[in-house]
Amino acid sequence: MLRCWTNALTTRRAAIGLRHSSSDSSSHFHNVAVLGGGITGLSTAYFLTQALPTAKVTIYEASDRIGGWLDSVRVPVKDGTVIFERGPRTLRPNGNGVLAAKLLQELDLAKDGLYPQLSSPAACNRFLYYPDHIVRMPHPSFKFADNLWSMITEPVFKTVMFGGITEFWKPPRGDHIEDESIAGFFSRRVSKEMVDRIMSGVIHGIYAGDVNQLSAKSLFPTQWRDELEAGSVIAGLAKSRAEGMEVTKREASFIQEMKSYQWDPLLKATLAMSTVWTLKDGLGQLVDRLARHLVKNGNVEFKTSTSVQSIALPQGSDRIQVQAQGSSQIKEYTHAISALSPAQLSAAHKGSTPLIPHIPTVTVMTVNLYYRTPGLHPDGFGYLIPQATPFENNPERALGVVFDTAYSPGSEDIDQSSWNVVDRDELIRQRDQGRLINVNDFAWYNMPEDPIRQDLVGKRGSKLTVMLGGHWWSEWPAFPDQEQGLALAKSVLRRHLGITEEPEAWQVNLQRDCIPQYTVGHEKRLKTAHSNISREYQGKLRVAGNWMSGVGVNDCLRSAWDVVSSLKVNRPGTGLEHVGNEEYVRIRRARPEEAAKE
Ligand SMILES: C=Cc1c2[nH]c(c1C)Cc1[nH]c(c(CCC(=O)O)c1C)Cc1[nH]c(c(C)c1CCC(=O)O)Cc1[nH]c(c(C)c1C=C)C2
C-alpha cells in the first residue's frame, strides 16, 4: 500500500513544488538531512518541522517504500478484507507512548483508533506455553483463589513464589560488577526456573532475544539500580510505592512537558483506560498519514530509492556532506540525523575504525493467518514460548503467537445488543463532555458515527500471527522460505492449539535484522559510539532509533523527539550524550483514572 503511494510521490512533489536540487543552506539556519525513512526518520522530520519551522529537511530512504517494518496490508478473504500486520501491530499509550498519542491527535487519527480497554480479555488474558500446554498468567482482576491455585499447580510457576518472597533477603551483587545477563541477574535475585520458564518468554515477546545474552543493566535499569541502592528489587519497589518512583531528571522534565500539552480530553480519557491501541487500517496508517503530512510541508523533501553511500565532515568545514549511492553529487547540510541502523551508519562513515561498535541484531519471521472459523484460539492477547519449553514441543523454534482477533473489534462487538449503554443520545452527551465512550471491551472515540473495525467481513473468523526465529535462528545456516515458513507456523498452531483447518489467507514475512540486541556491555558500546560520533562530527551528526533506549515504536518516537529537542536549543550532543550519565529524582505517578481526570 505504502509502496504504491510513494511511487506517486514524485508526481505529488512536483505538484506542490518541492525541489530536487541541492539545498541552499544560507537562507535557512537549519538544513537537515534525515537518514532513513522508517518511523524514526519520519517522526524526526515531523518533530523538526514543529521545533524549527524554517528548517529544510531532506529524508533519504534506500527503499521505494517508507515506513520500515511498520507495514500493514489489507488482504482479501471470501467475504471481505482483513488487515495483516507484518511488524508491530499495537502501541501502548503509557510512557513514551504519549508521543504516539500526540501524533494521533495532531494528524487527526484519533477517530480511526481502536482502543481495547484495560478490562478486556486482550489486556487481562496473557498466556505462556509450558511445558506442553497453554497457561494463563495471573492477573489482579482474576479471583485471588484462581491466581493462587494456578501458582501452586502449574509447573511454569515453580519456585516463583518462594524465589520472589526471599528476594528481599538475598545479598546484593558486588559493586564492581559492571553488567550482567538478564538470566544471571534474575537467577540470583529470584530463581533460575523463573528465568527459564517465565522471563525468557517475556523477553521473546519484546526482544526476540536470549536472556543469557541480553543486558540486565540496559533492559532492567530500575531493578539493576534498586539491587545496589535499596538492597533488593522488592525493597526498591516498596520505596517507590512509598516515596514515588525514581526517574531520570530528563524523564521528569519530559513528563512535565507532555502534561502541559493541550490534550483532546476525549482522547486522553480514552487512552487512559486502554491497554493498547491500533488503527482501522493498521499501524501502517500512522506512517502513511505522517508521510502525507510531511509531503504537504514545503520544507520537506523525500528521496526514496536513495541509499546513503557516505557521510563526512571535512576538516575545517561546518557542513556535513552526504553522498547518495550512484550519485556523483555531494550535498551539504548543517546537520544530519541518522535513523539508520548502527551497521548502516558505520558503513557510510568511511573512517579507519567503525563509528559504532557492533550491535547484534535478530531476524524475526512473522506469519499472519486468517481462518474462517471463529474462536480457534483462547480469548486473550496471545501466548509466549519460554526457552525451557521442551524441544519436542517447539521444534520450529517459535517465540510466541499473537491472537490478533483480540485487540480489534469484530462484528459482534459493534452489535448494539451486546453494549452496556445503548442510548445513543446519552453516548453523544458523554462524548461532548469529553468522557470516554466505553460500551464493551472497546472504547469508541468516533461516536456518534458507526463504530469502526479493521476487518471488514460479515462474521469474523480467527486471525493469528505466529512469531518465529529471533535468537533461536541466529545459528541457522539459512532462513526458511515462504513455503517453509507457512509450514512451520501451521505446525505450531496444530500442536499448540489443535488448529487443523487450512487458513483462508496467509502471509509470511521475513524481517531481517529487525530487533537490535542490547547484550551485556551495551551501555559501554553506546558510550564509545557517543565519543566517536562527537569526535568525528562535532555535533553535526546525531543519531536516533531502536538501538539506544528501547526497541519499540514508542521508543523510536522518543529518540526522535530527544534528538530534535537538543538540536532546537543547540545543545551539543549526538543523541547518546545521556547514556550512563543520568541524574535521578523521585516523582509520583498518577493512576490511570486520576491521569484521565488531570
Ligand atoms: C513484531 C515483532 C516484535 C517483537 N517485539 C517487538 C516487535 C515489534 C517490540 C515490542 N513488542 C512488545 C514491546 C513492549 C512494549 C509494547 O509496546 O507493548 C516491544 C518493545 C510487546 C509485544 N509483543 C508482542 C506484541 C503483539 C506486543 C505489543 C506491541 C506490538 O505490536 O509489537 C508479540 C511478540 N512480539 C515479538 C514476538 C516474538 C512476539 C510473540 C508473541 C517480537
Side-chain angles (χ1 to χ4, degrees), residues 69 86-92 204-208 276 364 366 381 383-384 399-402 467 515 551-555:
W69 81 316
R86 292 195 157 110
R89 55 216 57 231
T90 53
L91 295 180
R92 282 180 189 273
H204 281 166
I206 303 177
Y207 305 99
V276 290
V364 175
T366 62
F381 181 83
Y383 66 91
L384 294 161
L399 300 159
V401 176
V402 182
M467 306 271 188
I515 307 186
V551 299
V553 172
N554 287 333
D555 307 309

PDB file of all heavy atoms in Angstrom, residues 69 86-92 204-208 276 364 366 381 383-384 399-402 467 515 551-555, ligand 1:
ATOM      1  N   TRP A  69       9.519  -1.319   9.060  1.00  0.00           N
ATOM      2  CA  TRP A  69       8.743  -2.547   9.286  1.00  0.00           C
ATOM      3  C   TRP A  69       7.376  -2.294   9.907  1.00  0.00           C
ATOM      4  O   TRP A  69       6.686  -3.214  10.286  1.00  0.00           O
ATOM      5  CB  TRP A  69       9.575  -3.594  10.005  1.00  0.00           C
ATOM      6  CG  TRP A  69       9.737  -3.510  11.467  1.00  0.00           C
ATOM      7  CD1 TRP A  69      10.002  -2.410  12.201  1.00  0.00           C
ATOM      8  CD2 TRP A  69       9.668  -4.615  12.375  1.00  0.00           C
ATOM      9  NE1 TRP A  69      10.126  -2.758  13.508  1.00  0.00           N
ATOM     10  CE2 TRP A  69       9.926  -4.088  13.645  1.00  0.00           C
ATOM     11  CE3 TRP A  69       9.433  -5.990  12.233  1.00  0.00           C
ATOM     12  CZ2 TRP A  69       9.949  -4.885  14.781  1.00  0.00           C
ATOM     13  CZ3 TRP A  69       9.450  -6.774  13.359  1.00  0.00           C
ATOM     14  CH2 TRP A  69       9.708  -6.228  14.608  1.00  0.00           C
ATOM     15  N   ARG A  86       2.711  -6.820   9.218  1.00  0.00           N
ATOM     16  CA  ARG A  86       3.979  -7.545   9.044  1.00  0.00           C
ATOM     17  C   ARG A  86       4.874  -7.370  10.274  1.00  0.00           C
ATOM     18  O   ARG A  86       5.701  -8.196  10.580  1.00  0.00           O
ATOM     19  CB  ARG A  86       4.727  -7.022   7.828  1.00  0.00           C
ATOM     20  CG  ARG A  86       4.044  -7.342   6.534  1.00  0.00           C
ATOM     21  CD  ARG A  86       5.003  -7.129   5.371  1.00  0.00           C
ATOM     22  NE  ARG A  86       4.590  -7.899   4.234  1.00  0.00           N
ATOM     23  CZ  ARG A  86       4.092  -7.379   3.115  1.00  0.00           C
ATOM     24  NH1 ARG A  86       3.963  -6.084   3.004  1.00  0.00           N
ATOM     25  NH2 ARG A  86       3.737  -8.148   2.121  1.00  0.00           N
ATOM     26  N   GLY A  87       4.740  -6.231  10.950  1.00  0.00           N
ATOM     27  CA  GLY A  87       5.598  -5.925  12.104  1.00  0.00           C
ATOM     28  C   GLY A  87       4.755  -5.594  13.315  1.00  0.00           C
ATOM     29  O   GLY A  87       3.782  -6.283  13.613  1.00  0.00           O
ATOM     30  N   PRO A  88       5.105  -4.506  14.027  1.00  0.00           N
ATOM     31  CA  PRO A  88       4.331  -4.116  15.202  1.00  0.00           C
ATOM     32  C   PRO A  88       2.863  -3.906  14.842  1.00  0.00           C
ATOM     33  O   PRO A  88       2.552  -3.462  13.730  1.00  0.00           O
ATOM     34  CB  PRO A  88       4.962  -2.789  15.620  1.00  0.00           C
ATOM     35  CG  PRO A  88       6.296  -2.766  14.981  1.00  0.00           C
ATOM     36  CD  PRO A  88       6.213  -3.600  13.757  1.00  0.00           C
ATOM     37  N   ARG A  89       1.983  -4.219  15.793  1.00  0.00           N
ATOM     38  CA  ARG A  89       0.539  -4.161  15.497  1.00  0.00           C
ATOM     39  C   ARG A  89      -0.253  -3.290  16.469  1.00  0.00           C
ATOM     40  O   ARG A  89      -1.343  -2.853  16.164  1.00  0.00           O
ATOM     41  CB  ARG A  89      -0.052  -5.571  15.477  1.00  0.00           C
ATOM     42  CG  ARG A  89       0.222  -6.350  16.757  1.00  0.00           C
ATOM     43  CD  ARG A  89       0.457  -7.821  16.500  1.00  0.00           C
ATOM     44  NE  ARG A  89       1.550  -8.004  15.585  1.00  0.00           N
ATOM     45  CZ  ARG A  89       1.461  -8.772  14.484  1.00  0.00           C
ATOM     46  NH1 ARG A  89       0.385  -9.459  14.238  1.00  0.00           N
ATOM     47  NH2 ARG A  89       2.483  -8.862  13.664  1.00  0.00           N
ATOM     48  N   THR A  90       0.299  -3.111  17.656  1.00  0.00           N
ATOM     49  CA  THR A  90      -0.403  -2.278  18.637  1.00  0.00           C
ATOM     50  C   THR A  90       0.626  -1.405  19.342  1.00  0.00           C
ATOM     51  O   THR A  90       1.810  -1.739  19.380  1.00  0.00           O
ATOM     52  CB  THR A  90      -1.099  -3.151  19.703  1.00  0.00           C
ATOM     53  OG1 THR A  90      -0.136  -4.054  20.257  1.00  0.00           O
ATOM     54  CG2 THR A  90      -2.250  -3.938  19.142  1.00  0.00           C
ATOM     55  N   LEU A  91       0.178  -0.295  19.905  1.00  0.00           N
ATOM     56  CA  LEU A  91       1.068   0.567  20.686  1.00  0.00           C
ATOM     57  C   LEU A  91       0.473   0.770  22.056  1.00  0.00           C
ATOM     58  O   LEU A  91      -0.751   0.844  22.215  1.00  0.00           O
ATOM     59  CB  LEU A  91       1.257   1.925  19.994  1.00  0.00           C
ATOM     60  CG  LEU A  91       1.972   1.902  18.645  1.00  0.00           C
ATOM     61  CD1 LEU A  91       2.084   3.316  18.088  1.00  0.00           C
ATOM     62  CD2 LEU A  91       3.352   1.278  18.746  1.00  0.00           C
ATOM     63  N   ARG A  92       1.353   0.882  23.050  1.00  0.00           N
ATOM     64  CA  ARG A  92       0.895   1.177  24.410  1.00  0.00           C
ATOM     65  C   ARG A  92       0.781   2.682  24.580  1.00  0.00           C
ATOM     66  O   ARG A  92       1.634   3.409  24.087  1.00  0.00           O
ATOM     67  CB  ARG A  92       1.895   0.651  25.429  1.00  0.00           C
ATOM     68  CG  ARG A  92       1.791  -0.801  25.631  1.00  0.00           C
ATOM     69  CD  ARG A  92       2.795  -1.274  26.654  1.00  0.00           C
ATOM     70  NE  ARG A  92       2.809  -2.705  26.670  1.00  0.00           N
ATOM     71  CZ  ARG A  92       1.989  -3.453  27.398  1.00  0.00           C
ATOM     72  NH1 ARG A  92       1.121  -2.875  28.189  1.00  0.00           N
ATOM     73  NH2 ARG A  92       2.036  -4.753  27.357  1.00  0.00           N
ATOM     74  N   HIS A 204      11.269 -12.969  24.879  1.00  0.00           N
ATOM     75  CA  HIS A 204      10.972 -13.333  23.485  1.00  0.00           C
ATOM     76  C   HIS A 204       9.949 -12.371  22.892  1.00  0.00           C
ATOM     77  O   HIS A 204      10.066 -11.949  21.749  1.00  0.00           O
ATOM     78  CB  HIS A 204      10.408 -14.764  23.407  1.00  0.00           C
ATOM     79  CG  HIS A 204      11.462 -15.817  23.501  1.00  0.00           C
ATOM     80  ND1 HIS A 204      11.171 -17.133  23.742  1.00  0.00           N
ATOM     81  CD2 HIS A 204      12.798 -15.757  23.372  1.00  0.00           C
ATOM     82  CE1 HIS A 204      12.286 -17.845  23.767  1.00  0.00           C
ATOM     83  NE2 HIS A 204      13.300 -17.018  23.552  1.00  0.00           N
ATOM     84  N   GLY A 205       8.942 -12.045  23.681  1.00  0.00           N
ATOM     85  CA  GLY A 205       7.837 -11.206  23.187  1.00  0.00           C
ATOM     86  C   GLY A 205       8.222  -9.759  22.958  1.00  0.00           C
ATOM     87  O   GLY A 205       7.497  -9.018  22.298  1.00  0.00           O
ATOM     88  N   ILE A 206       9.340  -9.334  23.521  1.00  0.00           N
ATOM     89  CA  ILE A 206       9.760  -7.941  23.312  1.00  0.00           C
ATOM     90  C   ILE A 206      10.996  -7.872  22.411  1.00  0.00           C
ATOM     91  O   ILE A 206      11.010  -7.159  21.410  1.00  0.00           O
ATOM     92  CB  ILE A 206      10.031  -7.227  24.658  1.00  0.00           C
ATOM     93  CG1 ILE A 206       8.778  -7.294  25.538  1.00  0.00           C
ATOM     94  CG2 ILE A 206      10.435  -5.771  24.423  1.00  0.00           C
ATOM     95  CD1 ILE A 206       8.949  -6.687  26.916  1.00  0.00           C
ATOM     96  N   TYR A 207      11.999  -8.663  22.750  1.00  0.00           N
ATOM     97  CA  TYR A 207      13.288  -8.534  22.031  1.00  0.00           C
ATOM     98  C   TYR A 207      13.581  -9.711  21.097  1.00  0.00           C
ATOM     99  O   TYR A 207      14.580  -9.658  20.366  1.00  0.00           O
ATOM    100  CB  TYR A 207      14.441  -8.415  23.048  1.00  0.00           C
ATOM    101  CG  TYR A 207      14.223  -7.281  24.010  1.00  0.00           C
ATOM    102  CD1 TYR A 207      13.709  -7.512  25.283  1.00  0.00           C
ATOM    103  CD2 TYR A 207      14.478  -5.971  23.638  1.00  0.00           C
ATOM    104  CE1 TYR A 207      13.466  -6.470  26.164  1.00  0.00           C
ATOM    105  CE2 TYR A 207      14.238  -4.922  24.507  1.00  0.00           C
ATOM    106  CZ  TYR A 207      13.721  -5.179  25.764  1.00  0.00           C
ATOM    107  OH  TYR A 207      13.480  -4.137  26.627  1.00  0.00           O
ATOM    108  N   ALA A 208      12.754 -10.754  21.144  1.00  0.00           N
ATOM    109  CA  ALA A 208      13.027 -11.978  20.392  1.00  0.00           C
ATOM    110  C   ALA A 208      14.451 -12.446  20.690  1.00  0.00           C
ATOM    111  O   ALA A 208      15.132 -13.020  19.837  1.00  0.00           O
ATOM    112  CB  ALA A 208      12.817 -11.758  18.887  1.00  0.00           C
ATOM    113  N   VAL A 276      -3.813  -1.018  24.926  1.00  0.00           N
ATOM    114  CA  VAL A 276      -3.037  -0.710  23.730  1.00  0.00           C
ATOM    115  C   VAL A 276      -3.992  -0.032  22.751  1.00  0.00           C
ATOM    116  O   VAL A 276      -5.183   0.036  23.004  1.00  0.00           O
ATOM    117  CB  VAL A 276      -2.462  -1.997  23.062  1.00  0.00           C
ATOM    118  CG1 VAL A 276      -1.373  -2.626  23.889  1.00  0.00           C
ATOM    119  CG2 VAL A 276      -3.558  -3.008  22.749  1.00  0.00           C
ATOM    120  N   VAL A 364      13.318 -11.853  12.651  1.00  0.00           N
ATOM    121  CA  VAL A 364      12.069 -12.487  13.093  1.00  0.00           C
ATOM    122  C   VAL A 364      11.215 -12.805  11.864  1.00  0.00           C
ATOM    123  O   VAL A 364      11.133 -11.994  10.935  1.00  0.00           O
ATOM    124  CB  VAL A 364      11.282 -11.542  14.045  1.00  0.00           C
ATOM    125  CG1 VAL A 364       9.927 -12.127  14.420  1.00  0.00           C
ATOM    126  CG2 VAL A 364      12.079 -11.256  15.316  1.00  0.00           C
ATOM    127  N   THR A 366       7.415 -13.315  10.801  1.00  0.00           N
ATOM    128  CA  THR A 366       6.034 -13.211  11.273  1.00  0.00           C
ATOM    129  C   THR A 366       5.141 -13.876  10.218  1.00  0.00           C
ATOM    130  O   THR A 366       5.270 -13.581   9.026  1.00  0.00           O
ATOM    131  CB  THR A 366       5.602 -11.739  11.486  1.00  0.00           C
ATOM    132  OG1 THR A 366       5.660 -11.046  10.234  1.00  0.00           O
ATOM    133  CG2 THR A 366       6.502 -11.005  12.464  1.00  0.00           C
ATOM    134  N   PHE A 381      -4.679 -12.072  24.536  1.00  0.00           N
ATOM    135  CA  PHE A 381      -3.696 -11.371  23.712  1.00  0.00           C
ATOM    136  C   PHE A 381      -2.840 -12.322  22.877  1.00  0.00           C
ATOM    137  O   PHE A 381      -2.444 -12.012  21.762  1.00  0.00           O
ATOM    138  CB  PHE A 381      -2.801 -10.578  24.667  1.00  0.00           C
ATOM    139  CG  PHE A 381      -1.749  -9.763  24.017  1.00  0.00           C
ATOM    140  CD1 PHE A 381      -2.037  -8.505  23.514  1.00  0.00           C
ATOM    141  CD2 PHE A 381      -0.455 -10.242  23.922  1.00  0.00           C
ATOM    142  CE1 PHE A 381      -1.048  -7.742  22.917  1.00  0.00           C
ATOM    143  CE2 PHE A 381       0.532  -9.480  23.332  1.00  0.00           C
ATOM    144  CZ  PHE A 381       0.241  -8.233  22.826  1.00  0.00           C
ATOM    145  N   TYR A 383       0.120 -15.981  23.283  1.00  0.00           N
ATOM    146  CA  TYR A 383       0.988 -16.687  24.233  1.00  0.00           C
ATOM    147  C   TYR A 383       2.448 -16.601  23.815  1.00  0.00           C
ATOM    148  O   TYR A 383       2.758 -16.436  22.635  1.00  0.00           O
ATOM    149  CB  TYR A 383       0.544 -18.140  24.430  1.00  0.00           C
ATOM    150  CG  TYR A 383       0.675 -19.058  23.236  1.00  0.00           C
ATOM    151  CD1 TYR A 383       1.831 -19.810  23.025  1.00  0.00           C
ATOM    152  CD2 TYR A 383      -0.368 -19.212  22.334  1.00  0.00           C
ATOM    153  CE1 TYR A 383       1.938 -20.677  21.935  1.00  0.00           C
ATOM    154  CE2 TYR A 383      -0.271 -20.069  21.253  1.00  0.00           C
ATOM    155  CZ  TYR A 383       0.888 -20.804  21.059  1.00  0.00           C
ATOM    156  OH  TYR A 383       0.992 -21.637  19.985  1.00  0.00           O
ATOM    157  N   LEU A 384       3.295 -16.692  24.819  1.00  0.00           N
ATOM    158  CA  LEU A 384       4.739 -16.642  24.598  1.00  0.00           C
ATOM    159  C   LEU A 384       5.317 -18.003  24.931  1.00  0.00           C
ATOM    160  O   LEU A 384       4.798 -18.714  25.790  1.00  0.00           O
ATOM    161  CB  LEU A 384       5.362 -15.572  25.496  1.00  0.00           C
ATOM    162  CG  LEU A 384       4.922 -14.148  25.147  1.00  0.00           C
ATOM    163  CD1 LEU A 384       5.170 -13.191  26.295  1.00  0.00           C
ATOM    164  CD2 LEU A 384       5.634 -13.670  23.880  1.00  0.00           C
ATOM    165  N   LEU A 399       8.576 -18.212  18.856  1.00  0.00           N
ATOM    166  CA  LEU A 399       8.764 -17.360  20.033  1.00  0.00           C
ATOM    167  C   LEU A 399       7.439 -17.112  20.736  1.00  0.00           C
ATOM    168  O   LEU A 399       7.389 -16.857  21.937  1.00  0.00           O
ATOM    169  CB  LEU A 399       9.353 -16.011  19.605  1.00  0.00           C
ATOM    170  CG  LEU A 399      10.707 -16.070  18.907  1.00  0.00           C
ATOM    171  CD1 LEU A 399      10.940 -14.812  18.084  1.00  0.00           C
ATOM    172  CD2 LEU A 399      11.820 -16.244  19.923  1.00  0.00           C
ATOM    173  N   GLY A 400       6.373 -17.150  19.960  1.00  0.00           N
ATOM    174  CA  GLY A 400       5.056 -16.900  20.531  1.00  0.00           C
ATOM    175  C   GLY A 400       4.023 -16.741  19.431  1.00  0.00           C
ATOM    176  O   GLY A 400       4.352 -16.753  18.234  1.00  0.00           O
ATOM    177  N   VAL A 401       2.777 -16.628  19.846  1.00  0.00           N
ATOM    178  CA  VAL A 401       1.667 -16.466  18.896  1.00  0.00           C
ATOM    179  C   VAL A 401       0.781 -15.319  19.391  1.00  0.00           C
ATOM    180  O   VAL A 401       0.443 -15.269  20.579  1.00  0.00           O
ATOM    181  CB  VAL A 401       0.838 -17.770  18.792  1.00  0.00           C
ATOM    182  CG1 VAL A 401      -0.371 -17.583  17.881  1.00  0.00           C
ATOM    183  CG2 VAL A 401       1.703 -18.926  18.295  1.00  0.00           C
ATOM    184  N   VAL A 402       0.450 -14.404  18.489  1.00  0.00           N
ATOM    185  CA  VAL A 402      -0.432 -13.287  18.847  1.00  0.00           C
ATOM    186  C   VAL A 402      -1.834 -13.597  18.334  1.00  0.00           C
ATOM    187  O   VAL A 402      -1.994 -14.027  17.187  1.00  0.00           O
ATOM    188  CB  VAL A 402       0.056 -11.962  18.207  1.00  0.00           C
ATOM    189  CG1 VAL A 402      -0.842 -10.801  18.623  1.00  0.00           C
ATOM    190  CG2 VAL A 402       1.494 -11.673  18.590  1.00  0.00           C
ATOM    191  N   MET A 467       5.042 -15.964  15.557  1.00  0.00           N
ATOM    192  CA  MET A 467       6.345 -15.285  15.535  1.00  0.00           C
ATOM    193  C   MET A 467       7.432 -16.353  15.673  1.00  0.00           C
ATOM    194  O   MET A 467       7.452 -17.088  16.677  1.00  0.00           O
ATOM    195  CB  MET A 467       6.468 -14.331  16.716  1.00  0.00           C
ATOM    196  CG  MET A 467       5.340 -13.338  16.823  1.00  0.00           C
ATOM    197  SD  MET A 467       5.758 -11.888  15.870  1.00  0.00           S
ATOM    198  CE  MET A 467       4.439 -10.797  16.338  1.00  0.00           C
ATOM    199  N   ILE A 515      15.404  -6.483  15.118  1.00  0.00           N
ATOM    200  CA  ILE A 515      15.464  -6.069  16.533  1.00  0.00           C
ATOM    201  C   ILE A 515      16.914  -6.080  17.024  1.00  0.00           C
ATOM    202  O   ILE A 515      17.546  -7.138  17.099  1.00  0.00           O
ATOM    203  CB  ILE A 515      14.585  -6.963  17.432  1.00  0.00           C
ATOM    204  CG1 ILE A 515      13.150  -7.036  16.873  1.00  0.00           C
ATOM    205  CG2 ILE A 515      14.566  -6.422  18.869  1.00  0.00           C
ATOM    206  CD1 ILE A 515      12.156  -7.765  17.746  1.00  0.00           C
ATOM    207  N   VAL A 551      13.478  -0.830  22.028  1.00  0.00           N
ATOM    208  CA  VAL A 551      13.342  -1.346  20.661  1.00  0.00           C
ATOM    209  C   VAL A 551      11.959  -1.107  20.051  1.00  0.00           C
ATOM    210  O   VAL A 551      11.737  -1.443  18.890  1.00  0.00           O
ATOM    211  CB  VAL A 551      13.678  -2.859  20.604  1.00  0.00           C
ATOM    212  CG1 VAL A 551      15.100  -3.121  21.043  1.00  0.00           C
ATOM    213  CG2 VAL A 551      12.682  -3.679  21.435  1.00  0.00           C
ATOM    214  N   GLY A 552      11.035  -0.556  20.827  1.00  0.00           N
ATOM    215  CA  GLY A 552       9.664  -0.411  20.339  1.00  0.00           C
ATOM    216  C   GLY A 552       9.449   0.842  19.506  1.00  0.00           C
ATOM    217  O   GLY A 552      10.296   1.738  19.456  1.00  0.00           O
ATOM    218  N   VAL A 553       8.288   0.909  18.890  1.00  0.00           N
ATOM    219  CA  VAL A 553       7.919   2.082  18.084  1.00  0.00           C
ATOM    220  C   VAL A 553       7.899   3.332  18.964  1.00  0.00           C
ATOM    221  O   VAL A 553       8.410   4.393  18.597  1.00  0.00           O
ATOM    222  CB  VAL A 553       6.531   1.861  17.428  1.00  0.00           C
ATOM    223  CG1 VAL A 553       6.038   3.122  16.746  1.00  0.00           C
ATOM    224  CG2 VAL A 553       6.584   0.702  16.463  1.00  0.00           C
ATOM    225  N   ASN A 554       7.308   3.178  20.182  1.00  0.00           N
ATOM    226  CA  ASN A 554       7.247   4.322  21.086  1.00  0.00           C
ATOM    227  C   ASN A 554       8.647   4.822  21.445  1.00  0.00           C
ATOM    228  O   ASN A 554       8.870   6.025  21.586  1.00  0.00           O
ATOM    229  CB  ASN A 554       6.510   3.935  22.377  1.00  0.00           C
ATOM    230  CG  ASN A 554       5.010   3.792  22.148  1.00  0.00           C
ATOM    231  OD1 ASN A 554       4.460   4.424  21.240  1.00  0.00           O
ATOM    232  ND2 ASN A 554       4.363   2.969  22.944  1.00  0.00           N
ATOM    233  N   ASP A 555       9.572   3.897  21.597  1.00  0.00           N
ATOM    234  CA  ASP A 555      10.954   4.283  21.929  1.00  0.00           C
ATOM    235  C   ASP A 555      11.614   5.002  20.749  1.00  0.00           C
ATOM    236  O   ASP A 555      12.425   5.912  20.935  1.00  0.00           O
ATOM    237  CB  ASP A 555      11.785   3.055  22.311  1.00  0.00           C
ATOM    238  CG  ASP A 555      11.117   2.243  23.408  1.00  0.00           C
ATOM    239  OD1 ASP A 555      10.740   2.844  24.426  1.00  0.00           O
ATOM    240  OD2 ASP A 555      10.947   1.025  23.236  1.00  0.00           O
TER     241      ASP A 555
HETATM  242  C1  LIG B   1       6.585  -7.959  15.606  1.00  0.00           C
HETATM  243  C2  LIG B   1       7.625  -8.291  16.363  1.00  0.00           C
HETATM  244  C3  LIG B   1       8.089  -7.584  17.555  1.00  0.00           C
HETATM  245  C4  LIG B   1       8.620  -8.263  18.635  1.00  0.00           C
HETATM  246  N1  LIG B   1       8.930  -7.371  19.600  1.00  0.00           N
HETATM  247  C5  LIG B   1       8.649  -6.117  19.188  1.00  0.00           C
HETATM  248  C6  LIG B   1       8.107  -6.218  17.900  1.00  0.00           C
HETATM  249  C7  LIG B   1       7.652  -5.082  17.094  1.00  0.00           C
HETATM  250  C8  LIG B   1       8.829  -4.909  20.005  1.00  0.00           C
HETATM  251  C9  LIG B   1       7.961  -4.952  21.208  1.00  0.00           C
HETATM  252  N2  LIG B   1       6.945  -5.824  21.424  1.00  0.00           N
HETATM  253  C10 LIG B   1       6.379  -5.538  22.635  1.00  0.00           C
HETATM  254  C11 LIG B   1       7.077  -4.480  23.234  1.00  0.00           C
HETATM  255  C12 LIG B   1       6.813  -3.935  24.634  1.00  0.00           C
HETATM  256  C13 LIG B   1       6.190  -2.620  24.616  1.00  0.00           C
HETATM  257  C14 LIG B   1       4.857  -2.592  23.938  1.00  0.00           C
HETATM  258  O1  LIG B   1       4.729  -1.801  23.017  1.00  0.00           O
HETATM  259  O2  LIG B   1       3.974  -3.352  24.317  1.00  0.00           O
HETATM  260  C15 LIG B   1       8.065  -4.094  22.341  1.00  0.00           C
HETATM  261  C16 LIG B   1       9.090  -3.015  22.520  1.00  0.00           C
HETATM  262  C17 LIG B   1       5.228  -6.223  23.241  1.00  0.00           C
HETATM  263  C18 LIG B   1       4.522  -7.061  22.268  1.00  0.00           C
HETATM  264  N3  LIG B   1       4.914  -8.324  21.961  1.00  0.00           N
HETATM  265  C19 LIG B   1       4.054  -8.839  21.063  1.00  0.00           C
HETATM  266  C20 LIG B   1       3.070  -7.865  20.761  1.00  0.00           C
HETATM  267  C21 LIG B   1       1.935  -8.047  19.817  1.00  0.00           C
HETATM  268  C22 LIG B   1       3.374  -6.753  21.533  1.00  0.00           C
HETATM  269  C23 LIG B   1       2.635  -5.463  21.540  1.00  0.00           C
HETATM  270  C24 LIG B   1       3.353  -4.496  20.639  1.00  0.00           C
HETATM  271  C25 LIG B   1       3.485  -4.978  19.219  1.00  0.00           C
HETATM  272  O3  LIG B   1       2.528  -4.933  18.458  1.00  0.00           O
HETATM  273  O4  LIG B   1       4.584  -5.427  18.866  1.00  0.00           O
HETATM  274  C26 LIG B   1       4.143 -10.178  20.487  1.00  0.00           C
HETATM  275  C27 LIG B   1       5.500 -10.520  20.018  1.00  0.00           C
HETATM  276  N4  LIG B   1       6.416  -9.651  19.571  1.00  0.00           N
HETATM  277  C28 LIG B   1       7.556 -10.309  19.234  1.00  0.00           C
HETATM  278  C29 LIG B   1       7.361 -11.661  19.466  1.00  0.00           C
HETATM  279  C30 LIG B   1       8.370 -12.738  19.233  1.00  0.00           C
HETATM  280  C31 LIG B   1       6.072 -11.805  19.954  1.00  0.00           C
HETATM  281  C32 LIG B   1       5.460 -13.081  20.297  1.00  0.00           C
HETATM  282  C33 LIG B   1       4.226 -13.321  20.597  1.00  0.00           C
HETATM  283  C34 LIG B   1       8.791  -9.697  18.742  1.00  0.00           C
END
